[in-house]
Amino acid sequence: MRIAIVGAGGIAGVHAAALSALGGSARIVAAVDIDAGRLDAFAATWDVPERYTRVEDLLERSECDVVHLCSPPGLHRDQAVAVLERGWSVMCEKPPALSLREFDEIAAAEARSAGSFGTVSQHRFGARAVALREAIARDDFGPLHLALCNTLWFRPDSYFAVPWRGTWESEGGGPTMGHGIHQMDLMLSLAGPWESVRATAGRKARPTQTEDFSTAVVTLASGATLVIVNSLLSARETSYLRFDLAGGTAELEHLYGYGDDSWRFTPAPGDPDAASRWNALPPGAPSGHSAQFAAAAEALRSGAPMPVTTAQARPTLELIAAVYASAFTGREVARGELAEGSPFYSSMGGHRAPWLTTEGTAR
């Protein structure tokens, strides 16, 4: 695969390292960044032959198979549509778009393109998550009753000195959108589709337009209940998922990535074989970009869409929009409700954050 990377910041290095781990099946042929010094440093580190300061120049002068978007979220929609119109595929960092409207515009461009659009959802690809997803589908541990999904991170005020952070217009949201999306996506991939949500969100401490914490109680299609907390105010940082199944409790605790040892299982009383079924789950690779990029390479070789597809990624983005809609309207929001005409379809915050003035600035 001939790869171009757009955006040469910190996450671009993660992509480059993960691509290099594919053992020669992928080659970074071009990089793009508006900062020429940063672009040169990235290209020198990863031996990238082509350097551009505009995406338009990349599209006109290069030949690629996949473009990895490591740019700020506010640029993803326009860049993805342009690449798809060129007939190339896109691997896009989360969040893939600032709103459901933007995401649907990307999906429409994909439908017209020879290329496909994949969202980086690297936590889906850890071996234990893959095995548990299959076990849940087989009903190995019985029905899910209750699930917890916590992203408890800490970001100081200085984190928001980067101009695009902390605004609805360029980041799309706070920890619900930019941070909790990772665990929420993994949770939904394991627990199944959601039906409705009641939520709160607030801005307690950070100098932002967006929230710095949110909570949500989600009813899943299965009837199970999912409780979510997202925070940038938590000094002891952790990412924590818990699945209370009839046969036992499966827990995952990590920060930015997990391996088999990050999981724990407690069998339910009265099900003595549950522990052996858990121990029989096959071990394997940790979560991370390398695992997803390997799956993407295989998909492209076989002519299949790249994972995670637009159809797989949209429910997570829709849940995030529904969290904001519920928090800012004070009512329960159902899946499918945030369609054309809803302010939360065009903007995650729906221009309804109570701490904003009518001019859109934070009080």
Side-chain angles (χ1 to χ4, degrees):
M1 293 186 299
R2 294 164 298 181
I3 307 292
I5 293 184
V6 176
I11 195 63
V14 174
H15 279 237
L19 290 166
S20 68
L22 296 181
S25 62
R27 182 166 58 96
I28 305 173
V29 299
V32 182
D33 198 287
I34 59 173
D35 185 323
R38 185 168 57 198
L39 174 63
D40 288 343
F42 177 82
T45 299
W46 297 103
D47 193 24
V48 180
E50 301 175 30
R51 308 174 188 185
Y52 304 100
T53 56
R54 302 191 317 146
V55 172
E56 294 83 355
D57 294 335
L58 168 74
L59 299 176
E60 290 174 4
R61 302 176 190 174
S62 190
E63 286 297 332
C64 296
D65 299 303
V66 186
V67 175
H68 286 228
L69 297 184
C70 299
S71 48
L75 302 175
H76 288 171
R77 187 267 311 272
D78 289 349
Q79 292 176 346
V81 169
V83 172
L84 289 166
E85 288 178 345
R86 179 69 169 80
W88 301 344
S89 292
V90 177
M91 179 61 74
C92 185
E93 269 295 336
K94 290 197 296 291
L98 293 184
S99 67
L100 291 171
R101 178 189 294 278
E102 286 194 0
F103 189 80
D104 288 347
E105 289 170 353
I106 291 172
E110 180 188 37
R112 302 188 300 266
S113 176
S116 64
F117 181 89
T119 298
V120 174
S121 300
Q122 71 274 20
H123 292 327
R124 291 190 184 213
F125 294 86
R128 185 49 53 96
V130 172
L132 180 57
R133 189 178 300 119
E134 295 170 350
I136 290 174
R138 293 191 303 264
D139 201 31
D140 285 1
F141 299 102
L144 176 68
H145 299 313
L146 174 67
L148 305 178
C149 180
N150 294 341
T151 302
L152 306 177
W153 293 2
F154 186 88
R155 295 294 183 270
D157 289 0
S158 59
Y159 175 81
F160 298 99
V162 177
W164 59 264
R165 288 179 178 156
T167 69
W168 297 105
E169 292 77 14
S170 57
E171 192 172 19
T176 316
M177 178 69 154
H179 304 80
I181 186 173
H182 300 278
Q183 310 312 319
M184 293 164 69
D185 180 79
L186 174 58
M187 171 60 73
L188 291 181
S189 79
L190 289 161
W194 66 277
E195 290 291 334
S196 63
V197 59
R198 284 190 175 274
T200 67
R203 189 185 60 128
K204 288 186 175 293
R206 296 294 170 256
T208 62
Q209 291 182 3
T210 58
E211 87 288 1
D212 54 21
F213 83 96
S214 68
T215 68
V217 178
V218 182
T219 299
L220 300 175
S222 66
T225 297
L226 164 61
V227 179
I228 301 171
V229 182
N230 299 302
S231 168
L232 294 182
L233 308 173
S234 305
R236 191 185 81 80
E237 295 186 290
T238 185
S239 303
Y240 177 72
L241 274 67
R242 175 176 174 135
F243 303 83
D244 285 333
L245 299 145
T249 296
E251 298 172 272
L252 168 63
E253 184 162 15
H254 67 109
L255 190 53
Y256 301 134
Y258 64 85
D260 291 344
D261 292 342
S262 306
W263 292 82
R264 179 173 62 180
F265 184 78
T266 304
D271 190 349
D273 296 329
S276 61
R277 294 196 300 275
W278 174 265
N279 292 331
L281 296 180
S287 68
H289 289 70
S290 293
Q292 181 168 357
F293 294 172
E298 181 58 33
L300 287 170
R301 281 193 292 267
S302 65
M306 289 197 305
V308 169
T309 67
T310 49
Q312 292 168 333
R314 195 183 192 279
T316 302
L317 202 64
E318 186 181 7
L319 176 58
I320 293 168
V323 167
Y324 288 125
S326 176
F328 297 152
T329 63
R331 62 178 181 82
E332 186 174 39
V333 174
R335 185 173 177 184
E337 180 179 335
L338 303 181
E340 186 79 36
S342 167
F344 295 96
Y345 178 74
S346 300
S347 166
M348 282 289 164
H351 309 292
R352 302 286 183 88
W355 55 85
L356 296 181
T357 66
T358 54
E359 292 78 25
T361 57
R363 293 190 183 97

